[in-house]
Amino acid sequence: ERASNSFLKVKGSQLQDGQGQAMLLRGVNIHTYYYQYQWDKTASLKNATEADIKYLKSLGVNSIRLGLHWQYFQSNLGYQLIDNYVKWCENAGIYLILDMHVVPPDTDFGQGKIWNNKAAQQKFIKLWKSIAKRYANQAVIAGYDLFNEPAPTDPQHWWDLAAATINAIRSVDSNHILFLEPA
């Protein structure tokens, strides 16, 4: 079955396809050179091709976790990147997981400046809502990994931000799985 035929769902501790059959994701992370963004705004578009995605499929991969940087969405770059992977993954029959690897206002992974910055938190929530609204009906997207390795000094800060982000996403998209990493 092609990945794009049905939305994945969670039932208990099990992922299921659109026919209710158990589904095991076997995948890889795709790095989008987010650390290079400050020098080369298009680096993320140069790291993979459709041929690479087809090759991954030939190895048995059925999911890709695509690392994103919030700054990609200051222009159309973020959506162009996701649109490329949506098309490539649909053609290959691979699910796509969108992973926010660098969050506002950080310029690189793990700086942690979001935790005491309400404006950055609102930007994060608004960005996820925008992404979810745009891709709400894309079954090839398995789900959204909201924040890669959140590390606040107080874990409750993450759970509060996650709850607000989930509410925003669910206001426009009830189709996708939400992946929440623990603080």
Side-chain angles (χ1 to χ4, degrees), residues 12 32 34 42 44 72 84 101 119 125 131 134 139 151 158 162 165 179:
T32 60
Y34 47 79
T42 63
S44 63
Y72 296 167
N84 287 347
H101 222 78
I125 293 166
I131 291 168
R134 181 175 174 123
W158 164 231
T165 306
F179 297 92

Side-chain angles (χ1 to χ4, degrees), residues 85-151:
Y85 278 86
V86 163
K87 182 181 78 174
W88 299 342
C89 288
E90 280 179 339
N91 290 343
I94 294 177
Y95 282 102
L96 180 63
I97 298 168
L98 304 181
D99 162 54
M100 195 61 63
H101 222 78
V102 182
V103 302
D106 295 356
T107 56
D108 200 357
F109 168 71
Q111 293 174 318
K113 297 176 185 172
I114 194 170
W115 303 116
N116 295 314
N117 186 328
K118 293 294 182 197
Q121 292 173 19
Q122 288 306 309
K123 184 177 281 192
F124 176 82
I125 293 166
K126 184 178 176 184
L127 174 56
W128 268 118
K129 183 176 180 179
S130 176
I131 291 168
K133 184 175 183 180
R134 181 175 174 123
Y135 297 103
N137 296 313
Q138 289 287 345
V140 72
I141 296 176
Y144 312 130
D145 186 343
L146 301 187
F147 193 134
N148 184 71
E149 299 177 14

